[in-house]
Amino acid sequence: MEYQNLTGKDLLKIKTLGELKASGYQSRSIKEELRSNLIQNIKEGKNVFEGIWGYEDTVIPDIERAILSRHNINFLGLRGQAKTRIARMMTYLLDEYVPVVQGSELNDDPLAPLSSFAKQLIEEKGDKTPIDWWHRKDRYTEKLATPDVSVADLIGDVDPIKAATMKLSYNDERVIHYGLVPRSHRSIFVINELPDLQARIQVALFNILQEGDIQIRGFKLRLPLDIQFVFTANPEDYTNRGSIVTPLKDRIESQIITHYPKSIEIGKHITAQEAKLAGKPLERIHVPELMKDLIEQVAIEARKSEYVDEKSGVSARLTISAYENLISAAERRLYKNGEEKTVVRVADLIGIVPAITGKVELVYEGEQEGAGLVAYSLIGKAIRTLFTDYFPSPDQKRKEKESNPYVLPLAWFGEGKEIDILASQSDKDYKNALHQVPGLEEIVTQNIKKLSEKEKEFFMEFALHGLAEYSQLSKKLLETGMQFKDLFSSMFDMGPNDEDEEDDFR
């Protein structure tokens, strides 16, 4: 009987040490287990890290090289870069089941027991020693590093209650209560935000990483723990909240640097995959592809904004939350107006402001501006950036008066006309408001190839927003939407409190 060919059901039928030996089982370390299964996956062309976008040519090859080298790993990157998610997915590289001595708190390998309990049990019962099977999803331990984590939490301590209950001497090894690390023997052990761990606690990991032994309250135990360590850290933490002590960094063999999506397309994949939209009437809400691009562009603008702390980063959770809010804004309009279907509007971007303000760390200048105004500014910059992908640059066309396609709508606004685009107004009122602007529909139909009929008004509204971002029109925030009017007339109409707001939207 070949052990490697046994299925999970076959393994679960093996109940004793004797049956396990007869199956041909041989012990191997978790690092060897990960390495062997990774090699098999590479040969078969399987992607273990399914759903991790944008790392195919950067981070994932580094992870695979580290696993092939049997290294402990430190993921270094800003917030929202899938560090913990990748660590959790490493469990897919473990064997489906591994045998453990029944009742062992250290998950002892029946052929290589560590604890005194397992050694004594095997000595007493021999091949009749009962064994259990441990599924790979249970071979993962995760600990968030916080300042209150103690050595006892991670390594262990003497348990006086156990000593009293079992009437044991304090010289007896059985009085030890093992911490998370020994209990993670033969597992993947993850410490998130490693720099937040106090330096004296980090020191306690030295021997485990290098020599494999631990000391607990005077007990000198030689426990060659078999653990795949994975750490995560934010570069910001090296200076703000703490640091990884140098000897510990030296013992972590591979440090892998993560990054944000390098293109809008990758960002859209991540957002679509992670957004929680279950139960929403998605078949009744149409989202133009441009709107998805705008959501991702907001995050890109935030990552390079002078108002946002670049050391803190802008998490991918911003775009995910923003997209969820965007769909909810359209959903709310459906219910409010009793309509069957709707198309997402540019004005719906007002609804993503709460998703932005809670996800960005502002520098001093940003705090002075206010989180809300910074959010609107980022939305405006995203619109401006993508506007010229669909329409001619207003700055260039302004110099070419004869061929300027924006002359007609700008002249209409110049006559003192204005329109309000409200997030909650009915589709009929929305269309009527946009179609009263002369020349606006022609701008869209002439510049957008293969224009969908249901997206026409969306692009007409986008054109107005773009003209406002290029200082051709005035855009003013209303309580429930936006108002567009002539730029110069709005300067004379505004009060002293409106001036700053108008500057932000321009």
Side-chain angles (χ1 to χ4, degrees), residues 117 159-169 172 174-176:
F117 168 84
D159 187 348
I161 297 176
K162 183 189 286 188
T165 304
M166 300 176 66
K167 298 180 180 179
L168 298 172
S169 164
D172 195 315
R174 288 175 293 174
V175 302
I176 294 174

Side-chain angles (χ1 to χ4, degrees), residues 134-396:
W134 201 16
H135 194 267
R136 60 185 165 212
K137 66 179 174 59
D138 299 318
R139 297 174 63 193
Y140 177 89
T141 306
E142 187 174 302
K143 179 64 177 173
L144 176 63
T146 54
D148 63 328
V149 173
S150 66
V151 174
D153 294 333
L154 290 181
I155 311 302
D157 203 349
V158 171
D159 187 348
I161 297 176
K162 183 189 286 188
T165 304
M166 300 176 66
K167 298 180 180 179
L168 298 172
S169 164
Y170 278 97
N171 293 323
D172 195 315
E173 185 182 315
R174 288 175 293 174
V175 302
I176 294 174
H177 176 78
Y178 292 105
L180 280 173
V181 173
R183 288 174 182 273
S184 300
H185 176 51
R186 303 173 72 200
S187 299
I188 296 172
F189 187 80
V190 178
I191 298 182
N192 279 321
E193 308 301 338
L194 181 60
D196 282 351
L197 206 61
Q198 293 183 54
R200 65 184 181 85
I201 312 299
Q202 293 184 36
V203 169
L205 297 173
F206 288 0
N207 276 16
I208 297 172
L209 283 170
Q210 195 67 39
E211 287 81 21
D213 62 343
I214 61 174
Q215 295 181 17
I216 299 175
R217 294 283 184 181
F219 285 95
K220 188 174 181 180
L221 305 174
R222 179 65 182 169
L223 289 181
L225 295 172
D226 181 23
I227 298 174
Q228 171 67 53
F229 280 98
V230 179
F231 305 96
T232 72
N234 190 319
E236 172 199 19
D237 299 335
Y238 281 89
T239 54
N240 285 7
R241 291 181 290 179
S243 63
I244 303 176
V245 296
T246 304
L248 181 58
K249 279 197 291 185
D250 185 52
R251 284 167 167 79
I252 304 172
E253 296 93 340
S254 285
Q255 178 168 278
I256 297 173
I257 299 174
T258 58
H259 56 80
Y260 285 123
K262 294 186 176 181
S263 72
I264 285 180
E265 288 303 316
I266 293 172
K268 286 196 296 185
H269 275 299
I270 296 170
T271 301
Q273 176 179 277
E274 300 300 324
K276 297 179 178 64
L277 303 175
K280 292 186 177 292
L282 299 179
E283 69 283 353
R284 298 167 59 189
I285 301 171
H286 177 69
V287 184
E289 205 63 28
L290 170 57
M291 181 54 85
K292 298 176 183 178
D293 293 344
L294 283 169
I295 293 285
E296 301 302 326
Q297 190 64 38
V298 168
I300 293 171
E301 297 295 340
R303 287 169 190 146
K304 60 185 181 181
S305 171
E306 68 273 20
Y307 294 129
V308 178
D309 185 0
E310 64 177 352
K311 292 180 181 178
S312 177
V314 177
S315 168
R317 299 181 191 95
L318 183 150
T319 55
I320 295 165
S321 297
Y323 189 67
E324 291 168 350
N325 271 10
L326 184 76
I327 298 298
S328 295
E331 182 184 14
R332 177 179 178 270
R333 184 167 61 249
L334 273 179
Y335 303 144
K336 190 176 180 66
N337 297 323
E339 295 174 328
E340 272 302 308
K341 293 186 177 182
T342 190
V343 177
V344 168
R345 303 170 186 173
V346 183
D348 289 332
L349 289 173
I350 294 174
I352 77 169
V353 170
I356 300 173
T357 55
K359 298 286 191 296
V360 294
E361 195 77 26
L362 302 179
V363 295
Y364 176 76
E365 291 81 0
E367 295 287 357
Q368 294 296 105
E369 289 290 323
L373 290 179
V374 169
Y376 285 117
S377 172
L378 295 175
I379 292 171
K381 288 181 179 179
I383 292 171
R384 180 184 173 95
T385 300
L386 296 183
F387 183 75
T388 51
D389 290 347
Y390 296 87
F391 299 104
S393 168
D395 286 342
Q396 292 181 358

Side-chain angles (χ1 to χ4, degrees), residues 9 35 48 85 124 189 299 302 421-422 487:
K9 289 183 178 180
R35 171 185 159 82
V48 177
R85 179 166 185 170
E124 290 176 1
F189 187 80
I421 302 296
L422 307 179
L487 181 65

Side-chain angles (χ1 to χ4, degrees), residues 431-472:
K431 292 177 181 179
N432 289 340
L434 289 168
H435 282 280
Q436 66 179 301
V437 182
L440 190 58
E441 183 178 356
E442 287 73 17
I443 292 172
V444 172
T445 54
Q446 290 173 9
N447 288 283
I448 310 297
K449 296 179 180 179
K450 299 180 180 179
L451 177 66
S452 168
E453 188 64 31
K454 59 185 173 184
E455 292 185 3
K456 183 187 293 182
E457 284 74 27
F458 170 83
F459 277 99
M460 289 170 68
E461 183 193 356
F462 179 62
L464 291 179
H465 284 270
L467 289 172
E469 295 305 326
Y470 276 88
S471 301
Q472 305 287 294

Side-chain angles (χ1 to χ4, degrees), residues 398-417:
R398 183 164 45 185
K399 301 172 184 177
E400 308 168 7
K401 294 184 179 180
E402 293 183 2
S403 61
N404 188 349
Y406 307 116
V407 168
L408 205 55
L410 292 177
W412 184 81
F413 282 106
E415 295 172 359
K417 307 281 181 51

